[in-house]
Amino acid sequence: MMKIRFAFPLAAALVIAPVGSLAAQARDTTLAGFPALASEFVFTSLAFSPASATQAGLHDWTDPFTGRRAHLDSLLDNFSPDAIAKQRAYFMRVQSRLGAIDRAHLDAQTQADYDVVANAAAFALFGLTKERFHQFKPQMYAEDLGNSLFANISLEYADKNTRAADLTARVARVPGFLAIARRNLRATNEIYTRVSLEETDGVSSLVKSMGADFTRGTPSQARYARVAPPAIAALAEYQRFIKDTLSRRGTVDWRSGVGLFNAKWKYSLAVSLTPSEELRIAEDSMRNTRAEMLSLARPLHDKWFPTHRHTGDSTAVLNAIVSETLARIGAEHANRDSLLQQAKSDVAALTRVVRDQRTVSLDSFPNLQVIPTPEFMRGVYGVAGAVFAPPLNPHLATFYWVTPIPAAWTAERADSKLREYNTYKMLDLTMHEGIPGHVVQGAYANLLTPDWRRLLRSVYSNTPYVEGWAVYGEHVMMYDAHVDGGDPVKMKLTDLKGMLRIYTNVIIDIRLHTRNMPGDSAVAFMMRDAFQERPEAEAKLQRAQLDYVQLNAYFAGVEEWTRLRQDVQKRDGKDFNLCRYHDTVLLYGALPVPAIRRLYMAGIAPTAKGLASRCERPSAANGR
Ligand SMILES: [Zn+2]
């Protein structure tokens, strides 16, 4: 799914209140004042990053401190030292205002919100003062710029003329934005350099062609034609700077090291297990899963390839048997023109399962549209993805995009993609992105009340909650519901191959960043133990080298969800009602799962608008 990225730059200047008025602020933030603080925090921190604000649906903003109005869609993120200092001051002030609130006197739900704000402020300060990507990652500026400009083109937040004018205003700011980048950056490395040069090329071609196409025929066309060439020249200059100047300024290790890794782990995942514990569990799961795959694959293999004799060490035998079996399963696929059709019929079938088996109460998703991925997004979404309505406009459509196979592809190339995204894999993907995964979770998150709480928990949603829920949906919930595409063994093997990828991500991320695993060992490991082809493994290595901790969210999340359900089931015994459990945890919104556990175990009711429960009515299939 698409998630808002926070780069924490300052857009509209904030005037920091003098010390004298700080005390007044603190007095203001009594228990009753917390909701006001929380929503001020959401809007102010969003406004720090116009790129994120456009995505979240915040377009115009009046600074609560200065009364100054800003049209965020026409601004770029501001990484100037002055802007960063103002941001730091704001987040520190939020910390002191939180410090003045007696958390123990808040109700349990508000305590969870308090923790979200506290964590977000601490994470922002970590980014600005410890991690400091703005000083060490040249690619960050290219990505931030690309996202900003692309948002004007791709998000239909206003009519085309307005968005063309916004885009033109942003393009006019590109030279200034890159001048700040050149001043901020202190070091790079080979990988950052390579990726930032590529990504800057991408931004350049966006300005040159996509932006020109988008503004053509609008009142901004002439102005765009004037501002684009200086922007393109500044991008070329930025590339020369990265190659010639920055590489001489200094080198930065792409490995984060234990200190940064553990700190980011705490802020960005907020799960109960440590990296070492997750690593151990992932390595055990990996071994067990491979053994399970062998025992599932062997009978199929022996039936399909009766003449095969596999010899060698046990790893080679296992790999041969399992990969031949997976390849044969891959032969069952939609044809090149019917991927979208399969996704639509899978959505319909999964909606029926959710309804008939009463896994959750919500069983219709009128805002969901299953459509082909828009053409200009197909580079980002190679296969499929769920794209939500912006948190500030929750009534807009949620899309499940499915990327068609280009007509220009040869039969061979099309076939290779179709074998990978075969019938079972596509069903699995629709469970994850759609039902009961992201689409269901997103629909529940929209029901939260009051509105400040809904906004806080969706703008600052916890990734392990969100991604872990989707993996729990495919790996546990739909498995229990016997959704198997007509063949439980083929479905299970497909699911387990996906789980291997999730374990692998954890293992390489932790080992690369904190235990000096060599890059080529990571590639060899992915190819040998997780049935990955070299290009896929190399792409994953690069992704791990560009950022740390992120790759853990899926596993850390599904681990939390699985344990929570087991513990609740154990506690409640025969009173356990799966549907009621799912409704409750979804209606809490995307808090860190340990917070969900605290609320659930204490019997705290979610605060949400009406959802008719279907959990109590008898159901033929409710046999567990
Ligand atoms: Zn996902």
Side-chain angles (χ1 to χ4, degrees):
M1 70 175 288
M2 200 184 207
K3 219 179 127 63
I4 301 162
R5 271 174 349 96
F6 288 96
F8 306 111
L10 187 78
L14 270 177
V15 171
I16 302 308
V19 184
S21 72
L22 204 73
Q25 279 278 5
R27 265 199 313 280
D28 252 23
T29 326
T30 51
L31 301 187
F34 180 79
L37 168 59
S39 48
E40 174 217 294
F41 179 79
V42 167
F43 288 110
T44 307
S45 60
L46 268 181
F48 284 157
S49 169
S52 308
T54 301
Q55 286 182 47
L58 178 63
H59 305 294
D60 293 287
W61 187 67
T62 304
D63 186 319
F65 305 102
T66 62
R68 220 194 287 174
R69 245 177 94 78
H71 181 52
L72 299 172
D73 301 320
S74 67
L75 300 176
L76 291 175
D77 293 358
N78 185 347
F79 292 95
S80 71
D82 188 40
I84 286 174
K86 283 171 179 161
Q87 269 181 73
R88 277 182 62 177
Y90 175 72
F91 290 119
M92 286 165 66
R93 198 151 59 87
V94 166
Q95 289 187 322
S96 71
R97 288 161 69 192
L98 288 173
I101 296 174
D102 187 356
R103 183 185 177 280
H105 282 91
L106 299 170
D107 65 85
Q109 287 279 2
T110 312
Q111 283 181 354
D113 296 316
Y114 178 102
D115 296 344
V116 170
V117 176
N119 185 65
F123 193 15
L125 285 167
F126 166 80
L128 294 171
T129 61
K130 297 280 191 321
E131 190 173 52
R132 289 176 293 146
F133 281 170
H134 59 285
Q135 292 176 348
F136 300 109
K137 276 199 177 181
Q139 69 272 27
M140 187 206 73
Y141 294 96
E143 288 163 15
D144 190 77
L145 205 46
N147 285 336
S148 305
L149 304 179
F150 195 54
N152 298 132
I153 300 174
S154 62
L155 303 175
E156 294 176 352
Y157 62 86
D159 61 75
K160 195 175 175 194
N161 286 350
T162 306
R163 286 151 57 215
D166 290 342
L167 175 69
T168 305
R170 279 185 171 172
V171 168
R173 293 174 191 273
V174 168
F177 176 90
L178 292 172
I180 292 172
R182 293 198 306 271
R183 278 198 297 275
N184 283 349
L185 285 164
R186 295 184 180 180
T188 184
N189 58 45
E190 220 176 290
I191 292 141
Y192 290 2
T193 299
R194 170 161 45 81
V195 170
S196 57
L197 293 177
E198 280 166 20
E199 290 183 347
T200 307
D201 269 340
V203 178
S204 193
S205 85
L206 188 155
V207 175
K208 227 176 282 177
S209 43
M210 201 187 284
D213 288 347
F214 187 72
T215 47
R216 190 166 300 128
T218 73
S220 305
Q221 179 174 353
R223 180 161 185 241
Y224 190 88
R226 279 196 307 278
V227 299
I232 292 164
L235 287 159
E237 189 188 353
Y238 184 57
Q239 288 181 313
R240 283 194 299 276
F241 160 81
I242 294 166
K243 270 192 295 210
D244 303 337
T245 310
L246 183 57
S247 54
R248 282 201 306 270
R249 275 189 196 167
T251 359
V252 59
D253 195 348
W254 58 261
R255 296 180 202 273
S256 71
V258 177
L260 286 177
F261 194 94
N262 288 355
K264 188 163 181 165
W265 178 280
K266 188 178 76 175
Y267 297 128
S268 84
L269 301 183
V271 290
S272 61
L273 298 174
T274 64
S276 310
E277 289 166 333
E278 296 276 6
L279 178 61
R280 188 181 44 75
I281 302 168
E283 288 180 337
D284 288 348
S285 305
M286 185 106 193
R287 258 190 310 277
N288 296 337
T289 300
R290 284 173 51 82
E292 189 183 356
M293 289 177 85
L294 178 63
S295 69
L296 289 169
R298 199 189 282 276
L300 287 177
H301 172 272
D302 293 350
K303 188 171 84 191
W304 289 336
F305 311 103
T307 59
H308 282 198
R309 292 288 170 269
H310 291 290
T311 53
D313 71 37
S314 57
T315 302
V317 171
L318 185 153
N319 284 350
I321 291 176
V322 173
S323 37
E324 285 170 6
T325 308
L326 287 171
R328 177 72 172 252
I329 293 171
E332 294 176 41
H333 56 66
N335 38 46
R336 61 184 292 165
D337 301 320
S338 59
L339 276 180
L340 180 68
Q341 202 37 58
Q342 190 195 336
K344 281 183 178 170
S345 65
D346 285 347
V347 164
L350 290 164
T351 306
R352 277 195 303 276
V353 170
V354 165
R355 181 174 304 154
D356 295 349
Q357 307 213 8
R358 299 182 197 288
T359 40
V360 291
S361 285
L362 202 61
D363 63 353
S364 83
F365 308 94
N367 283 355
L368 174 62
Q369 294 184 25
V370 188
I371 59 165
T373 308
E375 215 150 331
F376 56 87
M377 294 296 271
R378 291 178 190 174
V380 186
Y381 290 82
V383 185
V387 179
F388 288 95
L392 283 140
N393 319 105
H395 54 281
L396 297 180
T398 284
F399 296 103
Y400 177 27
W401 286 346
V402 180
T403 307
I405 292 182
W409 280 20
T410 61
E412 196 188 1
R413 190 169 174 200
D415 200 55
S416 147
K417 178 174 173 179
L418 288 165
R419 272 184 272 120
E420 181 68 24
Y421 293 93
N422 57 62
T423 307
Y424 303 96
K425 181 67 192 175
M426 279 301 293
L427 175 58
D428 201 57
L429 203 58
T430 299
M431 293 177 195
H432 180 106
E433 304 290 345
I435 294 161
H438 292 318
V439 167
V440 172
Q441 187 264 315
Y444 271 88
N446 277 347
L447 298 174
L448 249 76
T449 52
D451 216 43
W452 65 266
R453 171 168 289 153
R454 180 187 66 77
L455 272 177
L456 177 69
R457 294 185 189 179
S458 67
V459 170
Y460 282 101
S461 67
N462 175 266
T463 313
Y465 176 106
V466 172
E467 292 301 346
W469 174 265
V471 177
Y472 165 77
E474 43 175 323
H475 183 59
V476 180
M477 212 194 298
M478 289 297 97
Y479 180 76
D480 288 351
H482 306 292
V483 179
D484 55 23
D487 189 313
V489 176
K490 292 174 186 170
M491 189 71 213
K492 187 75 191 164
L493 277 167
T494 305
D495 171 49
L496 292 179
K497 185 186 176 194
M499 292 307 290
L500 281 187
R501 203 158 297 179
I502 288 174
Y503 306 140
T504 309
N505 288 347
V506 170
I507 296 166
I508 63 159
D509 188 45
I510 297 176
R511 289 198 171 278
L512 285 166
H513 284 286
T514 70
R515 306 192 181 198
N516 278 315
M517 180 188 228
D520 48 8
S521 308
V523 171
F525 165 67
M526 288 183 269
M527 291 173 65
R528 182 183 151 98
D529 285 11
F531 309 102
Q532 297 192 12
E533 303 290 335
R534 180 172 288 280
E536 186 195 353
E538 284 176 344
K540 188 53 69 68
L541 170 66
Q542 177 172 303
R543 194 174 143 195
Q545 288 169 323
L546 291 173
D547 202 355
Y548 54 103
V549 175
Q550 315 288 21
L551 283 176
N552 286 276
Y554 291 69
F555 180 64
V558 72
E559 197 59 24
E560 294 283 335
W561 278 122
T562 310
R563 285 166 184 229
L564 176 59
R565 167 152 162 208
Q566 278 165 0
D567 293 347
V568 171
Q569 226 166 335
K570 200 151 80 191
R571 185 193 71 173
D572 293 354
K574 62 175 180 22
D575 293 332
F576 180 73
N577 180 314
L578 186 66
C579 170
R580 220 184 308 144
Y581 166 76
H582 286 154
D583 280 358
T584 307
V585 297
L586 287 170
L587 286 174
Y588 287 143
L591 294 168
V593 188
I596 299 290
R597 172 184 287 267
R598 277 195 297 280
L599 292 171
Y600 192 90
M601 290 304 192
I604 309 290
T607 56
K609 60 185 149 205
L611 169 70
S613 172
R614 299 186 312 117
C615 301
E616 320 306 329
R617 285 180 279 160
S619 154
N622 208 352
R624 51 193 104 70

